[in-house]
Amino acid sequence: MIGLIGVFIILSFQFRSYLQPLAVLLAIPTGLIGVVWGHLLMGLDLSMPSLVGLATLTGIVVNDSVLLVSFIKEQRSGGLAMTDAVRLAARDRFRAVILTSLTTIVGLLPLLTETSTQAQFLIPLVASLAFGLLTATLLSLFLIPSCFVIFEELGWFRAGVKAAGKSAAETA
């Protein structure tokens, strides 16, 4: 919990917002879905190495989500409507996010399928990473843009956009 609060504070400083880090943090539980399903599919028990893999997965999910949020902000600052901004950002980042995740998952597969006694300790950790990354990647590509559109619909972004537009009009 302390780590999540720390991540929220750091992201709040980075984005200069409290809503955008919330969208990033909402993507973390999507990785937990994959961790649980992966352990069930492989017949593994959740153990301490599984939780270490989950903590590592959290960092990867946050990194992918930060890239997506920064692209949404970039498109939004270009004057696009929120729905257009999230659509373009998701489309532009889709290939990079998918390729990064797939190469990580494929790189973990040899260790995941290892049968030696030495590797048995690492298999729960790797299962957490591989299956969690798979679900987190796929779901966060939909969740984060959806959060931004919902926040916009609720009117939580409009005040900041109007203030930015007003200051741009005053300087011109």
Side-chain angles (χ1 to χ4, degrees):
M1 197 54 136
I2 293 171
L4 291 176
I5 292 169
V7 168
F8 180 80
I9 290 170
I10 290 169
L11 291 176
S12 295
F13 284 126
Q14 180 181 355
F15 293 139
R16 295 187 179 111
S17 168
Y18 295 111
L19 288 176
Q20 294 166 1
L22 185 62
V24 170
L25 292 179
L26 286 174
I28 293 172
T30 62
L32 183 60
I33 295 168
V35 169
V36 171
W37 278 104
H39 278 71
L40 286 174
L41 287 173
M42 294 192 66
L44 299 171
D45 294 329
L46 284 173
S47 60
M48 188 55 79
S50 302
L51 297 179
V52 170
L54 179 62
T56 305
L57 173 68
T58 300
I60 297 169
V61 170
V62 166
N63 187 38
D64 285 346
S65 301
V66 164
L67 291 174
L68 188 58
V69 168
S70 67
F71 268 72
I72 292 171
K73 284 179 63 173
E74 184 179 303
Q75 297 294 333
R76 187 77 170 126
S77 68
L80 290 175
M82 183 61 79
T83 54
D84 295 331
V86 297
R87 186 179 305 118
L88 285 174
R91 186 193 73 197
D92 289 347
R93 295 306 303 160
F94 180 79
R95 182 196 279 171
V97 169
I98 291 293
L99 286 177
T100 302
S101 297
L102 281 179
T103 55
T104 303
I105 292 167
V106 170
L108 292 172
L109 283 178
L111 189 55
L112 192 61
T113 58
E114 181 66 41
T115 58
S116 70
T117 308
Q118 294 88 355
Q120 295 305 309
F121 179 73
L122 294 176
I123 289 177
L125 185 145
V126 173
S128 292
L129 275 173
F131 288 103
L133 187 57
L134 180 67
T135 59
T137 299
L138 296 176
L139 293 176
S140 67
L141 283 171
F142 295 103
L143 178 71
I144 292 174
S146 299
C147 285
F148 271 79
V149 171
I150 290 169
F151 292 162
E152 176 77 14
E153 290 291 320
L154 291 173
W156 295 349
F157 281 144
R158 291 193 183 125
V161 172
K162 287 179 185 175
K166 189 176 186 182
S167 63
E170 291 173 354
T171 58

